[in-house]
Amino acid sequence: MGPARSGLSFAIDRMPEKKQKIVFVRMREFEANMTITLEEIKKLAERAEPAGEARL
């Protein structure tokens, strides 16, 4: 995050011939992690009590 170079950039600099594979693997990691995050948010949302019906 931010203006600095990422670890991905350094990996590509060291192995430019593997750039496509490096990026592909990282995108699959992002996809898997986003899916897990959304599943967990869904679980929390489904467990939440409707507005106005909070426990006392």
Side-chain angles (χ1 to χ4, degrees):
M1 301 300 257
R5 299 190 55 179
S6 70
L8 192 67
S9 297
F10 293 119
I12 292 169
D13 288 347
R14 285 191 311 269
M15 299 174 282
E17 71 284 357
K18 295 183 179 181
K19 177 181 178 178
Q20 187 172 0
K21 183 170 183 166
I22 292 168
V23 173
F24 177 83
V25 169
R26 189 62 178 133
M27 293 304 291
R28 295 295 72 82
E29 290 171 353
F30 282 146
E31 183 180 292
N33 290 329
M34 283 187 281
T35 299
I36 291 167
T37 298
L38 290 173
E39 288 169 355
E40 293 301 317
I41 290 170
K42 183 177 186 266
K43 287 178 192 176
L44 289 172
E46 289 172 345
R47 274 198 320 235
E49 295 181 22
E53 295 181 24
R55 285 185 235 159
L56 298 174

